[in-house]
Amino acid sequence: MDVNDIVQERIDAARRKIANDKKRRLELAEARKHGLTRRHAQKLAHLLRSQGTGQGGAARTYAREAQEGENR
C-alpha cells in the first residue's frame, strides 16, 4: 500500500461521508416539511374552533388541503 492508495481511501471516505450527510439532510427536510404541514393544519383547526363557524373559509380550505396532502 503506497501513498496514492492511502489518499484514494481518504477521498473515497470523504465522498461517502458527503453522500451520507446529503441523504440525512434530505430526510430531515422531508420530515420537517410534513411536521410543519401538520402543525399548521392543527393551528388553523384550532383557530376555526375558537372563532366559530361563521369565519375562516380560507383557513378551513388550507387546513383541509394540508390534511389531504399529509394523507398521501
Side-chain angles (χ1 to χ4, degrees):
M1 185 177 258
D2 63 356
V3 173
N4 290 330
D5 292 335
I6 295 170
V7 170
Q8 188 60 44
E9 283 181 14
R10 288 185 180 182
I11 290 171
D12 292 340
R15 286 184 178 152
R16 281 191 303 273
K17 182 183 183 312
I18 290 169
N20 288 338
D21 290 348
K22 183 177 180 179
K23 180 181 176 188
R24 182 173 176 262
R25 281 192 308 273
L26 289 172
E27 289 170 352
L28 289 173
E30 187 67 23
R32 188 178 307 112
K33 176 183 159 189
H34 290 294
L36 285 174
T37 301
R38 174 176 280 166
R39 179 177 166 208
H40 287 246
Q42 288 174 344
K43 180 179 179 180
L44 289 172
H46 172 73
L47 288 172
L48 287 172
R49 284 191 304 270
S50 67
Q51 291 178 354
T53 58
Q55 300 174 351
R60 194 174 8 262
T61 301
Y62 179 81
R64 184 175 6 90
E65 290 174 357
Q67 288 176 343
E68 289 172 0
E70 184 179 294
N71 294 332
R72 289 183 194 170

